Amino acid sequence: MTDIPEANPAVPILVVISGPSGVGKDTVIHELRKLDRPWHFPVTATTRLPRPGEQDGKEYHFLARDEFEKKIQRSEFLEYAEVYGNFYGVPRSEIRDNLKTGKDVVLKIDVQGAATIKKLVPESVLIFLIAESKSALISRLANRQTEELDDLERRISTAETELSRIAEFDYRVINREGDIHDAANTIDSIICAEKARLIPRMAELI
Ligand code: 5GP
């Protein structure tokens, strides 16, 4: 019997998880890791200082500003942006190399970064995380206690601007307080469905 072309292994996809500041992107990523799927979670780079408990190479690659600027000049970032006065950037090689080896890549990034990735890689799958309500989002932002007060106010107003960009995304997933499994399972199902597409999304990087 000849091979059935439609039964070839699914091509790897680039999934972007985003949403307003405070919605719980890190918690959702943590939960997705536990599912133990063959996904790669890139570590992005930043010039901000590590918060207590954060480790270099785990939460971020923590870089000095001049190191970061050198990498910009060498085009080592697929995307980079200045967020709250610090640089953040996605190492191009981590994404390209993992897609090449057949792994799906699940990237966590802020809303402006997600929009840039969609322009650069139109075939990427964009997922927007939202809280169950605006008041829930604000109370999560307030409970983080990692920021000074004026920074918190700035994050609330940024979150409002970010929420208004939901239409640029392919999917929206609700991250309800106390129901993290539901958000992770929904994302798992989305990725599963995307991998079953007859005409796959080919994430080609420039
Ligand atoms: P935080 O300093 O709280 O860890 O992150 C601040 C924001 O920067 C978050 O919304 C986070 O998702 C975003 N961020 C992290 N890495 C990148 C990146 O490589 N590019 C962009 N544009 N945003 C990023």
Side-chain angles (χ1 to χ4, degrees):
M1 199 168 130
T2 55
D3 278 352
I4 308 169
E6 288 76 13
N8 288 340
V11 296
I13 56 174
L14 173 59
V15 180
V16 180
I17 311 268
S18 191
S21 179
V23 74
K25 297 186 280 286
D26 291 312
T27 323
V28 169
I29 292 285
H30 184 72
E31 207 58 28
L32 288 172
R33 282 179 183 274
K34 287 199 223 156
L35 297 177
D36 210 19
R37 303 277 186 256
W39 300 336
H40 176 71
F41 298 90
V43 177
T44 60
T46 182
T47 57
R48 86 149 161 74
L49 294 173
R51 293 182 187 132
E54 286 185 336
Q55 289 167 30
D56 185 37
K58 193 164 173 251
E59 283 79 12
Y60 285 106
H61 299 292
F62 293 101
L63 301 178
R65 213 171 168 93
D66 61 332
E67 275 179 277
F68 199 103
E69 281 165 355
K70 275 187 200 138
K71 285 181 184 287
I72 295 175
Q73 280 157 17
R74 294 197 294 257
S75 297
E76 288 184 27
F77 296 114
L78 174 62
E79 176 272 353
Y80 71 90
E82 201 160 359
V83 186
Y84 312 121
N86 291 302
F87 275 128
Y88 293 82
V90 182
R92 189 186 293 274
S93 61
E94 259 198 68
I95 299 201
R96 192 178 42 206
D97 297 352
N98 280 283
L99 286 174
K100 264 192 199 152
T101 63
K103 274 190 174 176
D104 300 313
V105 173
V106 180
L107 174 69
K108 178 208 79 164
I109 197 168
D110 74 335
V111 173
Q112 61 163 329
T116 307
I117 298 278
K118 190 72 175 175
K119 279 199 201 98
L120 294 168
V121 190
E123 297 293 272
S124 53
V125 179
L126 262 62
I127 300 177
F128 194 92
L129 285 175
I130 52 167
E132 59 274 43
S133 66
K134 200 172 152 193
S135 60
L137 178 65
I138 291 174
S139 83
R140 273 181 229 176
L141 272 173
N143 287 338
R144 274 168 89 171
Q145 290 179 334
T146 50
E147 341 295 343
E148 299 298 326
L149 186 62
D150 65 331
D151 203 12
L152 173 62
E153 281 167 10
R154 192 169 44 156
R155 281 183 186 234
I156 292 173
S157 99
T158 305
E160 280 169 355
T161 313
E162 289 170 331
L163 280 168
S164 71
R165 300 190 67 172
I166 193 167
E168 296 171 45
F169 285 69
D170 300 302
Y171 296 92
R172 72 108 172 88
V173 171
I174 302 173
N175 185 24
R176 266 191 200 86
E177 192 72 52
D179 202 359
I180 186 70
H181 300 295
D182 189 47
N185 289 338
T186 306
I187 293 172
D188 190 28
S189 306
I190 290 169
I191 296 177
C192 189
E194 284 288 340
K195 305 279 294 179
R197 284 171 71 103
L198 208 52
I199 299 169
R201 299 188 191 240
M202 311 277 278
E204 284 181 29
L205 292 195
I206 18 179

